């Protein structure tokens, strides 16, 4: 069987049903068999980076892997930002690139670049296959690697002659490799329960690893049994309902909220599950650590004690650890009653909530998020990339289901939003998909609106247009006391994003008054086509943030 056909048969067998890519001379042999597959649907993207973002958004929405595929040279190098974006957020996907024939490797041939080496630092693993007989083994290992432990994207580079080679292959004798379960040490589980039961003010930090593990229900069950407040990291936003009695929202120096930061600062023991304690969450690490004891559960051993000093580190899959914790607590007869701190949460949630109901013209950015919260229900997935629009989104959007808030967290990638929303909508067509963006970020990967229009996928794009590189403006203003090269007044005058949408087969409108936002949302949903809503907002609104969780400066 030709290797190109073997590749497609293994993709099918491993459960791939959707592929995002752009064909090219370096990958055409594989495309021949993709074209005849009855199990895999291919979507032709308009930029290779967008293919990876689409596969990324697809997994974030569904927990199911997709394929990103492209040709060699600049096609392959355009994958790099997407691979990095997925990897830092532990999002698994399969990336296949075409390559020049093996005899031309290392000889500066046309469109011949060592993409496996380029991607090695930013992917879970990479391979450049130079022996055709190794293809089945490498592909199976690639799938296992992507799924096992701390998940992530893998890159398989296939030279043309390898794709065209004939090998002995019997599908009946080939199967997916087992993925190892990483179970907790029960001695550590017992110690964790001891520490938590002795704590006066414990808190749980639910990280993105809890969502990836499919452990959201287990985390909430354990929190309910132990009566411990739950803070979410940005990557776990929505995993616990906003109005759950134990929900304390997000904590952090940017996307954190006053309630989450208060509950964290009042805590003496922190149980962090599937979280990385990264800088935008912790801020000043000395303030963050304080005198608190940390129990850290993570599937990746290198994460333990990487940022915060732990009283107890547990290497485990989040779901298995949470099941063990609940079982141990129940077997010990531990059943704490709600503390005054827990009883106060619902009222604190109301009193510390940031204001969104501004009637100003130009529109306050906060009002946009208030309208998003009121109009879109739990059947809506949101993507967002980077900028003050992303931080405001994290601060103000109310999400109450896992896998419905899909941000580029660790990378903060401009251009992630639209293709990720497209991929998410392909994975979950029954849900609405809304990309929340800034006016500058909109111009990154905007060509993917044409893809959405071509395939009849009604992605909605909400643009907060303040005619500024606003996150950079705010940083220049407060950190360096100057402003330069960040004003984009033309985005309120010369630029017409509605015409851009129409040119790509979509539709849209520009909004100036807060009272008109709801109607625009209604028209976007009814249009059943890619639709942009360009909302003209106040130009120089600053966003609440600070150097530590104890020193967040509030702005309105």
């Amino acid at each position: 069987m030709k290797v190109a056909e073997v590749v497609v048969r293994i993709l099918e067998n491993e459960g791939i049903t959707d592929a995002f890519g752009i064909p090219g001379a370096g990958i055409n042999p594989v495309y021949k068999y993709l074209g005849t597959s009855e199990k895999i649907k291919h979507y032709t993207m308009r930029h290779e980076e967008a293919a990876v973002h689409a596969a990324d958004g697809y997994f974030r929405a569904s927990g199911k892997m997709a394929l990103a595929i492209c040709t060699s040279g600049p096609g392959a190098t355009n994958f790099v930002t997407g691979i990095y974006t997925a990897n830092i957020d532990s999002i698994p996907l399969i990336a296949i690139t075409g390559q020049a024939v093996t005899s031309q490797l290392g000889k500066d041939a046309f469109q011949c670049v060592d993409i496996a080496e380029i991607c090695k630092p930013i992917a879970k693993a990479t391979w450049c296959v130079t022996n055709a007989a190794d293809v089945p083994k490498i592909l199976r290992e690639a799938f296992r690697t992507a799924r096992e432990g701390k998940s992530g994207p893998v890159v398989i580079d296939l030279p043309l002659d390898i794709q065209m080679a004939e090998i002995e292959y019997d599908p009946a004798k080939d199967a997916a490799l087992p993925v190892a379960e990483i179970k907790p040490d029960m001695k550590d589980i017992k110690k964790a329960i001891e520490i938590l039961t002795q704590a006066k003010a414990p808190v749980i930090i639910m990280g993105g690893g809890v969502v990836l593990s499919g452990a959201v229900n287990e985390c909430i069950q354990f929190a309910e049994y132990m009566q411990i407040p739950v803070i979410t990291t940005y990557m776990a936003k929505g995993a616990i309902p906003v109005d759950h009695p134990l929900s304390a929202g997000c904590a952090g120096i940017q996307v954190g909220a006053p309630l989450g930061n208060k509950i964290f600062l009042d805590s003496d023991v922190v149980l962090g599950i599937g979280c990385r304690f990264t800088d935008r969450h912790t801020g000043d690490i000395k303030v963050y650590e304080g005198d608190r004891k940390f129990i850290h559960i993570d599937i990746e051993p290198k994460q333990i004690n990487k940022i915060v000093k732990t009283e107890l580190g547990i290497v485990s899959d989040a779901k298995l650890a949470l099941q063990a914790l609940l079982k141990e607590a129940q077997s010990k007869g531990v059943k704490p009653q709600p503390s005054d701190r827990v009883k106060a949460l619902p009222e604190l949630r109301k009193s510390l909530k940031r204001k969104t109901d501004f009637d100003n013209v130009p529109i306050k950015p906060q009002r946009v998020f208030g309208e998003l919260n009121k109009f879109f229900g739990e059947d809506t997935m949101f993507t967002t990339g980077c900028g003050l629009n992303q931080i405001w989104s994290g601060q103000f959007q109310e999400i109450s289901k896992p896998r419905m808030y899909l941000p580029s967290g660790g990378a903060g990638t401009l251009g992630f939003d639209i293709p990720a929303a497209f991929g998410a909508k392909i994975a979950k067509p029954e849900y609405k998909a809304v990309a929340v963006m800034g006016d500058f970020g909109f111009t990154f990967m905007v060509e993917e609106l044409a893809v959405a229009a071509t395939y009849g996928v009604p992605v909605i794009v909400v643009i907060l247009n303040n005619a500024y590189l606003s996150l950079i403006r705010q940083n220049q203003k407060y950190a360096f006391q100057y402003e330069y090269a960040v004003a984009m007044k033309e985005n309120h005058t010369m630029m017409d994003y509605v015409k851009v949408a129409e040119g790509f087969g979509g539709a849209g409108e520009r909004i100036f008054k807060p009272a008109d936002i709801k109607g625009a949302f209604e028209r976007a949903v009814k249009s059943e086509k890619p639709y942009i809503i360009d909302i003209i907002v106040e130009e120089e609104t600053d966003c609440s943030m600070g150097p530590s969780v104890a020193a967040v400066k509030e702005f309105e």
Side-chain angles (χ1 to χ4, degrees):
M1 189 182 290
K2 260 195 174 50
V3 165
E5 183 176 2
V6 171
V7 169
V8 174
R9 298 296 163 257
I10 292 175
L11 291 171
E12 291 173 338
N13 181 259
E14 289 279 0
I16 296 294
T17 57
D18 294 278
F20 306 91
I22 300 177
I27 196 64
N28 270 342
V30 171
Y31 263 86
K32 176 182 178 180
Y33 294 98
L34 266 182
T36 61
S37 173
E38 295 180 358
K39 296 180 179 179
I40 301 175
K41 182 170 175 56
H42 178 272
Y43 300 87
T44 302
M45 309 300 286
R46 299 292 174 118
H47 194 290
E48 291 88 356
E49 181 186 329
V52 186
H53 291 325
D56 180 333
Y58 182 100
F59 182 86
R60 291 179 198 245
S62 65
K64 182 174 177 288
M65 279 202 292
L67 170 69
I69 183 168
C70 74
T71 191
S72 58
T77 57
N78 278 343
F79 264 19
V80 171
T81 297
I83 297 295
Y84 160 58
T85 301
N87 193 52
I88 199 166
D89 288 345
S90 302
I91 304 300
L93 56 89
I94 303 297
I96 292 179
T97 56
Q99 181 58 280
V101 296
T102 52
S103 63
Q104 292 294 329
L105 297 180
K107 296 180 181 179
D108 296 331
F110 179 69
Q111 293 192 341
C112 182
V113 64
D114 194 346
I115 194 64
E117 281 299 312
I118 289 171
C119 287
K120 193 168 284 185
I122 56 159
K124 179 87 183 283
T126 69
W127 292 266
C128 179
V129 186
T130 56
N131 182 354
D134 290 341
V135 167
K137 178 178 66 176
I138 287 174
L139 273 174
R140 293 299 188 181
E141 186 57 38
F143 271 94
R144 174 161 66 181
T145 300
R147 294 173 174 136
E148 193 169 77
K150 183 180 182 292
S151 55
V154 294
V155 178
I156 304 104
D157 193 33
L158 295 174
L160 262 173
D161 55 326
I162 299 297
Q163 296 176 53
M164 295 294 291
E166 294 277 349
I167 62 170
E168 292 292 326
Y169 180 71
D170 183 354
K173 295 180 180 179
D174 188 29
L177 298 175
V179 174
E181 281 192 334
I182 301 176
K183 300 178 180 179
D185 186 320
M186 284 309 299
K187 288 185 293 185
D188 293 335
I189 292 296
K190 292 177 186 294
K191 186 176 180 182
I193 294 298
E194 287 177 11
I195 295 170
L196 288 168
T197 53
Q198 292 167 8
K200 294 180 180 178
V203 67
I204 291 171
I205 297 180
M206 186 196 301
V210 174
V211 178
L212 292 171
S213 176
V216 168
N217 290 337
E218 285 80 0
C219 190
I220 294 172
Q221 288 167 9
F222 179 68
E224 289 172 343
Y225 187 84
M226 297 293 289
Q227 285 298 300
I228 300 175
V230 178
I231 289 168
T232 59
T233 66
Y234 188 49
M235 295 307 299
K237 184 176 173 67
I240 183 169
V242 172
D243 59 357
H244 188 283
L246 294 172
S247 175
C250 290
I253 61 170
Q254 288 189 342
V255 297
L259 175 60
N261 288 344
K262 174 179 170 52
I263 295 299
F264 175 82
L265 289 168
D266 290 345
S267 68
D268 62 344
V269 171
V270 178
L271 172 59
I273 312 167
C275 59
R276 296 187 292 117
F277 296 110
T278 54
D279 52 338
R280 288 215 303 175
H281 170 73
T282 65
D284 186 317
I285 199 66
K286 290 183 180 178
V287 174
Y288 187 85
E289 286 184 335
D291 295 325
R292 297 172 191 87
K293 291 181 179 178
F294 287 84
I295 304 168
H296 190 189
I297 299 173
D298 202 277
I299 202 165
E300 172 53 59
K302 293 178 182 177
Q303 294 294 342
I304 309 295
N305 284 308
K306 184 176 182 179
I307 308 292
V308 299
K309 298 172 185 174
T310 59
E311 181 78 8
L312 175 63
I314 303 175
V315 177
S316 174
D317 173 82
K319 190 168 192 170
L320 298 178
L322 282 159
Q323 289 171 343
L325 284 169
L326 180 58
K327 187 175 181 180
E328 176 65 16
Q330 290 171 334
S331 70
K332 293 289 185 184
V334 174
K335 188 65 176 78
Q337 295 303 305
S339 64
D340 290 341
R341 177 170 173 257
V342 166
K343 291 176 183 175
L345 270 174
E347 190 55 42
L348 280 173
R349 195 178 300 121
K350 294 177 185 176
S351 63
L352 294 177
K353 186 177 180 179
R354 288 177 171 132
K355 179 179 170 66
T356 61
D357 57 346
F358 297 94
D359 294 322
N360 305 45
V361 176
I363 300 167
K364 279 275 193 183
Q366 297 93 321
R367 175 65 182 266
V368 177
F369 295 103
E371 294 294 328
L372 284 168
N373 290 337
K374 284 189 283 187
F375 182 83
F376 290 101
E378 293 185 0
D379 64 342
T380 305
M381 303 175 291
F382 293 93
T383 63
T384 185
C386 195
L388 287 193
N389 61 90
Q390 182 207 35
I391 301 172
W392 280 318
S393 171
Q395 292 176 351
F396 292 107
Q397 284 200 250
E398 296 177 352
I399 312 293
S400 290
K401 286 173 64 177
R403 297 193 181 278
M404 303 302 280
Y405 188 77
L406 318 173
S408 170
T413 301
L414 290 172
F416 168 82
D417 332 56
I418 294 173
F422 175 78
K425 181 72 172 170
I426 295 299
K428 292 288 185 180
E430 67 272 25
Y431 294 147
K432 299 180 187 71
V434 179
V436 179
M437 313 182 71
D439 50 294
F440 183 62
F442 175 67
T443 60
F444 288 62
M445 301 286 129
V446 66
E447 77 286 338
E448 303 310 313
L449 286 175
V451 178
T454 298
Y455 292 103
V457 178
V459 169
I460 297 170
V461 180
V462 176
I463 304 170
L464 281 80
N465 188 344
N466 57 13
Y468 257 105
L469 304 181
S470 51
L471 177 56
I472 311 308
R473 175 198 60 76
Q474 184 168 336
N475 179 255
Q476 288 180 353
K477 178 180 177 180
Y478 293 103
F480 303 102
Q481 295 75 53
Y482 81 96
E483 181 183 303
Y484 180 67
V486 291
M488 306 190 82
K489 304 295 184 183
E490 64 274 13
N491 291 356
H492 278 177
T493 54
M494 185 190 310
M495 302 301 156
D496 191 333
Y497 296 145
V498 175
K499 285 184 178 177
V500 171
E502 291 171 347
F504 282 129
E509 59 186 287
R510 178 171 270 188
I511 299 297
F512 296 91
K513 297 177 181 178
D516 295 336
I517 297 173
K518 179 183 176 183
F521 290 163
E522 290 172 343
R523 289 184 287 277
V525 171
K526 288 177 182 177
S527 76
E528 296 187 349
K529 63 170 63 176
Y531 200 99
I532 73 106
I533 304 166
D534 183 16
I535 304 176
I536 304 301
V537 299
E538 192 175 72
E539 290 187 5
E540 297 188 47
T541 309
D542 288 326
C543 180
S544 303
M545 61 181 77
S548 79
V549 288
V552 172
K553 186 174 182 180
E554 293 289 328
F555 294 101
E556 287 192 351

